[in-house]
Amino acid sequence: MRLLASLIAFCLLALPLQAEELVLGLSQEEVRITTRFDGSDILIYGAIKRDLSAVDPEEEPLHVIITVAGPSGPTTVWRKERVAGIWMNTDSVEIDRAPSFYAVATTGPLPDILSETEDLRHKISIPRAIRSVGAPQGIEDAGSFTDALIRIRERNGSYLINEDSAELRESTLFDTRITLPANLTEGEYTTRIFVTRDGAVLTHEEAPILVRKVGLERWLFTLSRQQPLLYGLLSLALAVAAGWGASTFFQLIRR
């Protein structure tokens, strides 16, 4: 019995102390999309609670990585080639899962503060956040389709990498701002905070941000999903009314 108790005590003493603990906050926990919505800024802030007795003054400095990921889903990426003088879609690759929005903010260059092993484990960088298992036979450069998807979404503001945009004060307080574009997909967005040292993740925390349509946007979205025929007739009626109104307006001007 004494031998068992001694063994348990030895194992407990051998366990590493948790020297860092995260506390985080969001300026908004819900984003409402209305007819006038043109994007939003989210302030992400928090503190690293540290066990000062476990801090080595000669150890590597702490860094913070913040990610915000929108709802993920499959998507198809096409390759266009010139065939007989006409640009046409030829090959395609089905990406199994890609976030509709993904932003990364860091306190330093990402390759310097995060190892490849930790990136693979936690899926932090943009390429790691995209899951593409395989490609059709005959396509040898499947990775280029994922690269193309990243470039397209970087251009329209859906994928962001903001190195050195987060601030960490006295290895304790951190904050950054993430800009959400106007073309947001409705759903739950996951905010993740990682504290790293020498490329290794010490601790991490996450919190949700709910993005939803309200008002007229919500009504039209629900109508298009639940009663598509009525939605189509309403859209046609609005188009006819807009055309008639424009025609009448120009006739009055000519008079």
Side-chain angles (χ1 to χ4, degrees):
M1 191 70 178
R2 289 183 178 179
L3 179 60
L4 179 59
S6 299
L7 182 60
I8 294 174
F10 175 78
C11 292
L12 290 175
L13 289 173
L15 289 174
L17 292 174
Q18 181 66 35
E20 287 81 19
E21 183 181 346
L22 270 175
V23 178
L24 68 93
L26 304 169
S27 62
Q28 293 178 251
E29 295 183 355
E30 183 180 65
V31 175
R32 298 185 175 187
I33 301 177
T34 64
T35 53
R36 297 182 179 181
F37 180 77
D38 59 354
S40 179
D41 281 349
I42 301 292
L43 174 63
I44 303 170
Y45 58 93
I48 304 172
K49 298 169 63 178
R50 311 185 69 193
D51 182 0
L52 297 179
S53 63
V55 175
D56 182 355
E58 297 182 359
E59 65 189 4
E60 293 292 324
L62 293 177
H63 283 280
V64 173
I65 303 172
I66 301 169
T67 69
V68 178
S72 295
T75 185
T76 301
V77 181
W78 290 87
R79 170 187 286 155
K80 285 189 175 182
E81 293 183 351
R82 201 177 185 90
V83 179
I86 301 174
W87 287 99
M88 299 178 61
N89 291 330
T90 54
D91 299 329
S92 66
V93 168
E94 179 81 13
I95 305 295
D96 301 271
R97 188 181 65 215
S100 57
F101 173 83
Y102 198 81
V104 182
T106 71
T107 55
L110 191 58
D112 296 344
I113 64 176
L114 182 70
S115 68
E116 286 288 339
T117 301
E118 295 285 25
D119 190 15
L120 182 62
R121 180 181 301 155
H122 295 282
K123 308 292 189 294
I124 297 174
S125 66
I126 294 176
R128 294 298 185 191
I130 299 173
R131 182 172 180 267
S132 182
V133 176
Q137 293 183 354
I139 298 181
E140 299 179 353
D141 58 340
S144 64
F145 287 79
T146 301
D147 295 339
L149 175 65
I150 294 174
R151 288 196 303 271
I152 292 170
R153 294 193 173 179
E154 283 179 340
R155 283 199 296 266
N156 65 22
S158 296
Y159 286 177
L160 307 170
I161 174 72
N162 299 322
E163 296 180 328
D164 295 309
S165 64
E167 290 190 35
L168 178 61
R169 302 173 183 85
E170 299 181 359
S171 297
T172 303
L173 303 175
F174 63 86
D175 65 84
T176 190
R177 285 188 179 274
I178 300 294
T179 300
L180 302 179
N183 57 337
L184 286 180
T185 299
E186 191 178 26
E188 185 175 279
Y189 287 58
T190 302
T191 301
R192 297 188 297 167
I193 315 293
F194 298 89
V195 177
T196 69
R197 176 186 287 121
D198 198 21
V201 174
L202 302 179
T203 184
H204 63 91
E205 191 61 72
E206 65 179 55
I209 301 173
L210 181 62
V211 175
R212 64 189 186 95
K213 296 181 174 70
V214 296
L216 182 60
E217 285 282 325
R218 161 56 60 183
W219 182 76
L220 290 174
F221 178 81
T222 303
L223 185 66
S224 66
R225 294 297 185 272
Q226 296 181 356
Q227 301 184 45
L229 178 59
L230 181 59
Y231 177 79
L233 293 174
L234 179 61
S235 300
L236 180 61
L238 289 175
V240 171
W244 176 83
S247 176
T248 303
F249 175 75
F250 284 113
Q251 287 180 2
L252 291 175
I253 291 177
R254 289 175 182 176
R255 292 177 183 177

